[in-house]
Amino acid sequence: MKILKTINELNAFRNALKGTVGFVPTMGALHNGHLSLIQKSLQENDHTIVSIFVNPTQFLEGEDFHQYPKKTDADIKICSLAGVDALFMPQSDVMYAPLEPSILAPASKAYILEGFARPGHFDGVLRVVLKLLHLSKPTHAYFGKKDAQQLYLIQNMVKTLFLEVNIVPCEIVREEDGLALSSRNIYLDTEQRKEALLLSQSLQTATRAIISGQREIDVIKQEMKEVLRPLHVEYVEILNRDFDTMRTIVLSNTVILVCAKVGQTRLIDNLWI
Ligand code: PAF
């Protein structure tokens, strides 16, 4: 596996590739969720490029940018054992220049939910993803459904900027007890780890209600909030897949999103119905 650190190295590597290229952008601290994206890319493409870059522009003042988990040696091993062709690991000054055009995510969809708590976060995500797609020129790029709003905004960017890449949404990977995998789960102590299960349990409650015929969104949200009561809930939302509000569940066009703080750790989870 090649480790690439500069734009010239990535360009030379990419331009020599023949056939399809899968790209998996990450911020490192790789877990089985990332691995499932990498494996899907390996299965579906002739070559796979993974990037590891803790992108400063998507963190707000006071967020965990400087504490964000770093496991470089383990990450390199995981990618190499998985069969990744190249790992792109740039420094910040390779990715960013002092003067750049602004990339702004559409405010009505980027300043709600995650973007309400983290204003500007998605501008930073789109800015780096656009650069990474431009550099790696993939046939397919793989993103987890766990970051549902990010996935929606990236799909929207690809569509509206006419980028020639196929965005592949990948299923959420969960622990056996239902906890969605996240690099931030390592911040949880044993007690908090148990409390964190309430997020996926609230989604199971919603599933049961929908299976039994409930379609009223306010009723389902109320039931979910009951489950989440012990936590500091930031939002419980049920939207269509364009992230617009609706009053009743529309099957195959619904996403249920939840965000709660467990201790100091913000956790998100969601379910696509
Ligand atoms: O989902 C992530 O890990 C990041 O937001 C991404 C897509 C790698 C951009 O920095």
Side-chain angles (χ1 to χ4, degrees), residues 24-28 34 51 53-55 58-59 68 121 124-126 128-129 132 142-144 147 150 154 183:
V24 185
T26 80
M27 298 207 299
H34 298 109
S51 67
F53 178 58
V54 184
N55 171 37
Q58 70 187 74
F59 289 81
Y68 197 81
H121 165 70
V125 170
L126 294 193
V128 79
V129 170
L132 289 168
Y142 295 79
F143 292 88
D147 293 304
Q150 164 175 288
I154 289 170
S183 302

mmCIF file of all heavy atoms in Angstrom, residues 24-28 34 51 53-55 58-59 68 121 124-126 128-129 132 142-144 147 150 154 183, ligand 1:
data_model
loop_
_atom_site.group_PDB
_atom_site.id
_atom_site.type_symbol
_atom_site.label_atom_id
_atom_site.label_comp_id
_atom_site.label_asym_id
_atom_site.label_seq_id
_atom_site.Cartn_x
_atom_site.Cartn_y
_atom_site.Cartn_z
ATOM 1 N N VAL A 24 -12.705 6.378 -0.219
ATOM 2 C CA VAL A 24 -13.319 6.398 1.110
ATOM 3 C C VAL A 24 -12.642 7.502 1.941
ATOM 4 O O VAL A 24 -11.533 7.312 2.443
ATOM 5 C CB VAL A 24 -13.163 5.032 1.829
ATOM 6 C CG1 VAL A 24 -13.910 5.042 3.154
ATOM 7 C CG2 VAL A 24 -13.639 3.883 0.949
ATOM 8 N N PRO A 25 -13.308 8.656 2.072
ATOM 9 C CA PRO A 25 -12.721 9.722 2.890
ATOM 10 C C PRO A 25 -13.002 9.478 4.370
ATOM 11 O O PRO A 25 -14.127 9.126 4.731
ATOM 12 C CB PRO A 25 -13.457 10.979 2.411
ATOM 13 C CG PRO A 25 -14.745 10.500 1.865
ATOM 14 C CD PRO A 25 -14.566 9.065 1.444
ATOM 15 N N THR A 26 -12.012 9.652 5.220
ATOM 16 C CA THR A 26 -12.208 9.456 6.665
ATOM 17 C C THR A 26 -11.390 10.497 7.431
ATOM 18 O O THR A 26 -10.535 11.179 6.862
ATOM 19 C CB THR A 26 -11.736 8.063 7.151
ATOM 20 O OG1 THR A 26 -10.305 8.090 7.313
ATOM 21 C CG2 THR A 26 -12.111 6.950 6.194
ATOM 22 N N MET A 27 -11.655 10.545 8.733
ATOM 23 C CA MET A 27 -10.814 11.364 9.614
ATOM 24 C C MET A 27 -9.992 10.448 10.525
ATOM 25 O O MET A 27 -9.528 10.859 11.587
ATOM 26 C CB MET A 27 -11.681 12.323 10.432
ATOM 27 C CG MET A 27 -12.456 13.296 9.535
ATOM 28 S SD MET A 27 -12.870 14.848 10.310
ATOM 29 C CE MET A 27 -13.873 14.303 11.664
ATOM 30 N N GLY A 28 -9.823 9.188 10.106
ATOM 31 C CA GLY A 28 -8.988 8.261 10.872
ATOM 32 C C GLY A 28 -9.704 7.692 12.079
ATOM 33 O O GLY A 28 -10.931 7.737 12.165
ATOM 34 N N HIS A 34 -15.958 2.195 9.309
ATOM 35 C CA HIS A 34 -15.096 2.605 8.193
ATOM 36 C C HIS A 34 -14.700 1.384 7.361
ATOM 37 O O HIS A 34 -14.679 1.426 6.136
ATOM 38 C CB HIS A 34 -13.805 3.254 8.704
ATOM 39 C CG HIS A 34 -14.008 4.496 9.492
ATOM 40 N ND1 HIS A 34 -13.809 4.565 10.845
ATOM 41 C CD2 HIS A 34 -14.389 5.741 9.119
ATOM 42 C CE1 HIS A 34 -14.045 5.775 11.278
ATOM 43 N NE2 HIS A 34 -14.415 6.518 10.254
ATOM 44 N N SER A 51 -8.659 8.225 2.358
ATOM 45 C CA SER A 51 -7.946 9.402 2.904
ATOM 46 C C SER A 51 -8.165 9.462 4.410
ATOM 47 O O SER A 51 -9.223 9.070 4.914
ATOM 48 C CB SER A 51 -8.421 10.703 2.244
ATOM 49 O OG SER A 51 -9.761 10.960 2.591
ATOM 50 N N PHE A 53 -7.764 12.484 7.080
ATOM 51 C CA PHE A 53 -7.455 13.902 7.265
ATOM 52 C C PHE A 53 -8.444 14.465 8.272
ATOM 53 O O PHE A 53 -9.661 14.495 8.008
ATOM 54 C CB PHE A 53 -7.570 14.644 5.921
ATOM 55 C CG PHE A 53 -7.304 16.123 6.023
ATOM 56 C CD1 PHE A 53 -6.100 16.607 6.516
ATOM 57 C CD2 PHE A 53 -8.274 17.042 5.626
ATOM 58 C CE1 PHE A 53 -5.854 17.975 6.620
ATOM 59 C CE2 PHE A 53 -8.037 18.411 5.720
ATOM 60 C CZ PHE A 53 -6.827 18.874 6.227
ATOM 61 N N VAL A 54 -7.945 14.856 9.432
ATOM 62 C CA VAL A 54 -8.825 15.479 10.423
ATOM 63 C C VAL A 54 -8.967 16.933 9.977
ATOM 64 O O VAL A 54 -8.052 17.740 10.133
ATOM 65 C CB VAL A 54 -8.260 15.357 11.863
ATOM 66 C CG1 VAL A 54 -9.249 15.939 12.859
ATOM 67 C CG2 VAL A 54 -7.989 13.894 12.205
ATOM 68 N N ASN A 55 -10.109 17.195 9.362
ATOM 69 C CA ASN A 55 -10.307 18.439 8.624
ATOM 70 C C ASN A 55 -10.623 19.612 9.560
ATOM 71 O O ASN A 55 -11.729 19.670 10.118
ATOM 72 C CB ASN A 55 -11.464 18.224 7.639
ATOM 73 C CG ASN A 55 -11.892 19.510 6.990
ATOM 74 O OD1 ASN A 55 -11.052 20.366 6.698
ATOM 75 N ND2 ASN A 55 -13.191 19.657 6.773
ATOM 76 N N GLN A 58 -14.097 21.842 9.530
ATOM 77 C CA GLN A 58 -15.429 21.360 9.925
ATOM 78 C C GLN A 58 -15.613 21.323 11.435
ATOM 79 O O GLN A 58 -16.659 20.901 11.911
ATOM 80 C CB GLN A 58 -15.745 20.010 9.280
ATOM 81 C CG GLN A 58 -14.953 18.833 9.801
ATOM 82 C CD GLN A 58 -15.215 17.576 8.976
ATOM 83 O OE1 GLN A 58 -14.742 17.450 7.848
ATOM 84 N NE2 GLN A 58 -15.967 16.644 9.510
ATOM 85 N N PHE A 59 -14.592 21.761 12.174
ATOM 86 C CA PHE A 59 -14.708 21.863 13.636
ATOM 87 C C PHE A 59 -14.942 23.312 14.011
ATOM 88 O O PHE A 59 -14.308 24.215 13.447
ATOM 89 C CB PHE A 59 -13.423 21.375 14.318
ATOM 90 C CG PHE A 59 -13.210 19.895 14.226
ATOM 91 C CD1 PHE A 59 -12.672 19.320 13.084
ATOM 92 C CD2 PHE A 59 -13.551 19.061 15.285
ATOM 93 C CE1 PHE A 59 -12.469 17.952 12.990
ATOM 94 C CE2 PHE A 59 -13.352 17.691 15.210
ATOM 95 C CZ PHE A 59 -12.809 17.127 14.062
ATOM 96 N N TYR A 68 -9.290 15.156 18.845
ATOM 97 C CA TYR A 68 -9.910 14.122 18.013
ATOM 98 C C TYR A 68 -9.002 12.888 17.983
ATOM 99 O O TYR A 68 -7.793 13.011 17.760
ATOM 100 C CB TYR A 68 -10.161 14.634 16.590
ATOM 101 C CG TYR A 68 -11.156 13.757 15.854
ATOM 102 C CD1 TYR A 68 -12.519 13.916 16.057
ATOM 103 C CD2 TYR A 68 -10.726 12.736 15.015
ATOM 104 C CE1 TYR A 68 -13.438 13.080 15.434
ATOM 105 C CE2 TYR A 68 -11.641 11.899 14.383
ATOM 106 C CZ TYR A 68 -12.990 12.085 14.606
ATOM 107 O OH TYR A 68 -13.896 11.248 13.990
ATOM 108 N N HIS A 121 -20.367 23.914 10.273
ATOM 109 C CA HIS A 121 -19.744 22.584 10.181
ATOM 110 C C HIS A 121 -19.828 22.021 8.759
ATOM 111 O O HIS A 121 -18.829 21.559 8.200
ATOM 112 C CB HIS A 121 -20.451 21.645 11.181
ATOM 113 C CG HIS A 121 -20.191 20.190 10.962
ATOM 114 N ND1 HIS A 121 -18.965 19.610 11.215
ATOM 115 C CD2 HIS A 121 -20.991 19.184 10.503
ATOM 116 C CE1 HIS A 121 -19.032 18.311 10.927
ATOM 117 N NE2 HIS A 121 -20.240 18.029 10.494
ATOM 118 N N GLY A 124 -17.534 23.408 6.082
ATOM 119 C CA GLY A 124 -16.194 22.804 6.154
ATOM 120 C C GLY A 124 -16.172 21.406 5.571
ATOM 121 O O GLY A 124 -15.213 21.020 4.900
ATOM 122 N N VAL A 125 -17.246 20.647 5.809
ATOM 123 C CA VAL A 125 -17.313 19.274 5.272
ATOM 124 C C VAL A 125 -17.330 19.337 3.740
ATOM 125 O O VAL A 125 -16.548 18.660 3.063
ATOM 126 C CB VAL A 125 -18.566 18.524 5.792
ATOM 127 C CG1 VAL A 125 -18.752 17.209 5.046
ATOM 128 C CG2 VAL A 125 -18.469 18.274 7.286
ATOM 129 N N LEU A 126 -18.211 20.188 3.192
ATOM 130 C CA LEU A 126 -18.312 20.241 1.725
ATOM 131 C C LEU A 126 -17.012 20.759 1.103
ATOM 132 O O LEU A 126 -16.581 20.286 0.048
ATOM 133 C CB LEU A 126 -19.487 21.130 1.286
ATOM 134 C CG LEU A 126 -20.881 20.616 1.641
ATOM 135 C CD1 LEU A 126 -21.946 21.405 0.880
ATOM 136 C CD2 LEU A 126 -21.061 19.136 1.368
ATOM 137 N N VAL A 128 -13.934 20.372 2.144
ATOM 138 C CA VAL A 128 -12.877 19.353 2.067
ATOM 139 C C VAL A 128 -13.288 18.204 1.158
ATOM 140 O O VAL A 128 -12.458 17.675 0.410
ATOM 141 C CB VAL A 128 -12.473 18.865 3.483
ATOM 142 C CG1 VAL A 128 -13.457 17.847 4.054
ATOM 143 C CG2 VAL A 128 -11.080 18.263 3.454
ATOM 144 N N VAL A 129 -14.566 17.827 1.178
ATOM 145 C CA VAL A 129 -15.000 16.695 0.340
ATOM 146 C C VAL A 129 -14.868 17.066 -1.136
ATOM 147 O O VAL A 129 -14.424 16.261 -1.956
ATOM 148 C CB VAL A 129 -16.436 16.237 0.706
ATOM 149 C CG1 VAL A 129 -16.979 15.245 -0.322
ATOM 150 C CG2 VAL A 129 -16.452 15.611 2.099
ATOM 151 N N LEU A 132 -11.262 16.723 -1.975
ATOM 152 C CA LEU A 132 -10.822 15.316 -1.987
ATOM 153 C C LEU A 132 -11.363 14.581 -3.219
ATOM 154 O O LEU A 132 -10.665 13.770 -3.820
ATOM 155 C CB LEU A 132 -11.265 14.611 -0.697
ATOM 156 C CG LEU A 132 -10.517 15.053 0.569
ATOM 157 C CD1 LEU A 132 -11.221 14.534 1.822
ATOM 158 C CD2 LEU A 132 -9.063 14.574 0.541
ATOM 159 N N TYR A 142 -17.620 6.550 -1.061
ATOM 160 C CA TYR A 142 -18.411 5.820 -0.064
ATOM 161 C C TYR A 142 -18.593 6.649 1.210
ATOM 162 O O TYR A 142 -17.606 7.114 1.798
ATOM 163 C CB TYR A 142 -17.711 4.482 0.249
ATOM 164 C CG TYR A 142 -17.700 3.604 -0.979
ATOM 165 C CD1 TYR A 142 -16.768 3.809 -2.001
ATOM 166 C CD2 TYR A 142 -18.666 2.632 -1.170
ATOM 167 C CE1 TYR A 142 -16.788 3.046 -3.160
ATOM 168 C CE2 TYR A 142 -18.703 1.861 -2.327
ATOM 169 C CZ TYR A 142 -17.758 2.076 -3.322
ATOM 170 O OH TYR A 142 -17.796 1.331 -4.472
ATOM 171 N N PHE A 143 -19.853 6.814 1.617
ATOM 172 C CA PHE A 143 -20.177 7.593 2.822
ATOM 173 C C PHE A 143 -21.179 6.810 3.666
ATOM 174 O O PHE A 143 -22.103 6.182 3.128
ATOM 175 C CB PHE A 143 -20.788 8.946 2.445
ATOM 176 C CG PHE A 143 -19.802 9.865 1.767
ATOM 177 C CD1 PHE A 143 -19.647 9.821 0.393
ATOM 178 C CD2 PHE A 143 -19.023 10.747 2.501
ATOM 179 C CE1 PHE A 143 -18.725 10.646 -0.249
ATOM 180 C CE2 PHE A 143 -18.099 11.583 1.877
ATOM 181 C CZ PHE A 143 -17.952 11.528 0.498
ATOM 182 N N GLY A 144 -21.031 6.889 4.994
ATOM 183 C CA GLY A 144 -21.920 6.155 5.890
ATOM 184 C C GLY A 144 -23.244 6.882 6.073
ATOM 185 O O GLY A 144 -23.307 8.117 6.108
ATOM 186 N N ASP A 147 -23.999 9.490 9.240
ATOM 187 C CA ASP A 147 -24.004 10.945 9.086
ATOM 188 C C ASP A 147 -24.982 11.289 7.967
ATOM 189 O O ASP A 147 -24.594 11.697 6.872
ATOM 190 C CB ASP A 147 -22.594 11.447 8.765
ATOM 191 C CG ASP A 147 -21.660 11.241 9.942
ATOM 192 O OD1 ASP A 147 -21.967 11.741 11.040
ATOM 193 O OD2 ASP A 147 -20.636 10.567 9.773
ATOM 194 N N GLN A 150 -24.963 14.869 6.483
ATOM 195 C CA GLN A 150 -23.743 15.034 5.683
ATOM 196 C C GLN A 150 -23.908 14.335 4.330
ATOM 197 O O GLN A 150 -23.590 14.909 3.289
ATOM 198 C CB GLN A 150 -22.565 14.438 6.455
ATOM 199 C CG GLN A 150 -21.321 14.194 5.616
ATOM 200 C CD GLN A 150 -20.140 13.730 6.433
ATOM 201 O OE1 GLN A 150 -19.560 14.510 7.169
ATOM 202 N NE2 GLN A 150 -19.752 12.475 6.309
ATOM 203 N N ILE A 154 -23.795 16.132 0.695
ATOM 204 C CA ILE A 154 -22.774 15.740 -0.287
ATOM 205 C C ILE A 154 -23.453 15.295 -1.587
ATOM 206 O O ILE A 154 -23.038 15.691 -2.683
ATOM 207 C CB ILE A 154 -21.855 14.636 0.293
ATOM 208 C CG1 ILE A 154 -20.963 15.250 1.381
ATOM 209 C CG2 ILE A 154 -20.992 14.001 -0.803
ATOM 210 C CD1 ILE A 154 -20.190 14.246 2.205
ATOM 211 N N SER A 183 -16.304 7.035 16.062
ATOM 212 C CA SER A 183 -14.962 7.253 16.631
ATOM 213 C C SER A 183 -15.070 7.894 18.006
ATOM 214 O O SER A 183 -14.177 7.760 18.835
ATOM 215 C CB SER A 183 -14.144 8.158 15.717
ATOM 216 O OG SER A 183 -14.060 7.578 14.442
HETATM 217 O O1 PAF B 1 -17.508 11.781 7.937
HETATM 218 C C1 PAF B 1 -16.326 12.151 8.088
HETATM 219 O O2 PAF B 1 -15.483 11.439 8.655
HETATM 220 C C2 PAF B 1 -15.894 13.515 7.590
HETATM 221 O O3 PAF B 1 -16.906 14.443 7.740
HETATM 222 C C3 PAF B 1 -15.371 13.499 6.135
HETATM 223 C C4 PAF B 1 -16.480 13.079 5.172
HETATM 224 C C5 PAF B 1 -14.199 12.535 6.017
HETATM 225 C C6 PAF B 1 -14.920 14.901 5.738
HETATM 226 O O4 PAF B 1 -13.887 15.362 6.555
#
